Amino acid sequence: MPVVEIALPDGRLRGLSHGGVRRFLGVPYAAPIGGAGRFAAPHPVVPWHGIRDATVAGPTSPQPDRSRFGSLDVSPFFAPGWVRGDDHLTVNVWAPEDTDGRAPVLVFVHGGGFIAGSASAPAYDGTGFARDGVVFVGVNYRLGAPGFLAVPDAPDNRGVLDVIQALRWVRENIAAFGGDPAAVTLAGQSAGAVIIASVLCEPDAEGLAHRAIMQSGTGVGAFTPEQGEIVASAFAEQLGVDLTVDALGAVPDAALVGASVMLGEVDVATASARAPIGDIVRFGPVHPRQPADRIAESWGGGVELLIGTNLDEAGLYLAPTGQLDGAVDPVAAAARFVDEPESLVAAYRREFPDADDVELVRSITGDGMFGAGTRRFADRHQSAGGTTHVYEFTWRPDSVRQLLGASHLMELPFVFDTDAEGLRGPDSLLGTTPPPADLAVRMHAAWVDFIQGLGPGWPACTADAQQVQSIGERWEMHSGHRARLHEAWGSA
């Protein structure tokens, strides 16, 4: 591939060019971190001399291996895993070769349960966006304890602060790549979408993004301060150290990662708050109030928002581990989320009279983890006067004996218009079922149009009824989409 160079305020970069797209990997947006600095707020980039090589991806945040969910290979979303090095507060940039300096910008925050993932995963290749005139910026941020552990003498939510710092870097540097700093869309999936909900409520981030996309996240995924303290105390006890920056700063990265994966048995439910996101995470943003309850009074209430979930989100967590094999109990599934589970199950039986218990468990669990909190955030954003476009992804492959459904992660290959290695096959996310021929082209185009300020191609929500675009075998608009279920969750 031909080599290309660009000049940034902090130094020169060497990248690669191919097929009309320039690629720069491992570009720092903050200073390297190590030791006690892993628990500090991010600092600006340290300028460098000479030409920095940006032709290969750099280090990633310390993390455990997460290449499989039970029987399912999810390596396209989690490779290369942990690549050692302190200089991992970086971005990967894909940019069109020919721009007039006004290309819209997409800043993407990956998912991974706040403990895994990176911008270098094959599924997050930004070539498709750059090919279509968008400067794509994939963000690496701190994970696990360095990113989210509540430490009394450290700033909270350091992973969120990293994303805000990356947005500042974009504002100051993206013009060198041909991007327009006044046309930035902040997007993320899963944990990345939960982080975006926090960013949209942070005063320090005001004006750094002009549109937002939240895929398969929730507006109620934050830990309360009390829950943050429970996790932090258990983490320090696991390591046998004091809960201070100095003590944690002396612990090697590998030990921090090891202690993180041992927190699964810690009960974080309290008298006033259930465990976030269906009790599947032990790290995440810590806030006294949920972002969905703050967005109306925050700057993010005024940005244009594209938000949605997948029809069978929980399939990823239930099917590959065998939890949908044999007899299942919808009431037990609902009890994870509400105090009156029988009433919630009854609402689902009325909404889906032909569904069997497996389908009900998958639906209730997915809505409890992501769907209900997404709807709440969308409603609050719309009521604040924000332009709010909602979607539901519905295409189901044959994966995991046809039990996976339109699961968590499923929309990503179509949004990115990618066929990355490992996405298809008997034990892969997309299985062996050919998707609709135009699904990737059409869904990717909707995202590009939204990033360009044209809207995604369907109406925004109104005060009278939520307008939801169904995306899958067929594209259909629904007004007042599942209003009875929304009411059931609201009263639960």
Side-chain angles (χ1 to χ4, degrees), residues 104-109 139 163-172 174 180-188 195-214 295 298-305 381 450-451:
V105 181
L106 176 62
V107 178
F108 184 80
V109 184
V139 181
V163 173
I164 295 173
Q165 178 64 23
L167 288 170
R168 293 192 186 102
W169 180 90
V170 166
R171 181 183 59 193
E172 301 301 324
I174 207 64
D180 183 354
V184 175
T185 298
L186 177 61
I195 288 172
I196 289 171
S198 290
V199 172
L200 294 176
C201 296
E202 290 296 328
D204 288 347
E206 185 171 0
L208 295 177
H210 310 92
R211 297 178 185 87
I213 303 173
M214 291 172 57
I295 189 64
S298 304
W299 70 275
V303 304
E304 187 175 11
L305 176 67
H381 183 267
F450 179 81
I451 293 161

Side-chain angles (χ1 to χ4, degrees), residues 212-215 304-309 378 387-393 411 415 439 441-451 453-462 465-472 474-479 481:
I213 303 173
M214 291 172 57
Q215 299 171 212
E304 187 175 11
L305 176 67
L306 173 58
I307 186 170
T309 55
T387 302
T388 314
H389 304 272
V390 181
Y391 73 90
E392 182 179 63
F393 184 83
E411 89 289 358
V415 168
L439 182 55
V441 171
R442 193 172 178 184
M443 191 171 189
H444 174 75
W447 262 239
V448 170
D449 285 349
F450 179 81
I451 293 161
L454 304 175
W458 62 85
C461 295
T462 67
Q466 190 180 63
Q467 308 288 330
V468 177
Q469 175 70 59
S470 176
I471 298 174
R474 295 181 296 177
W475 289 57
E476 298 176 327
M477 277 298 303
H478 302 277
S479 181
H481 191 51

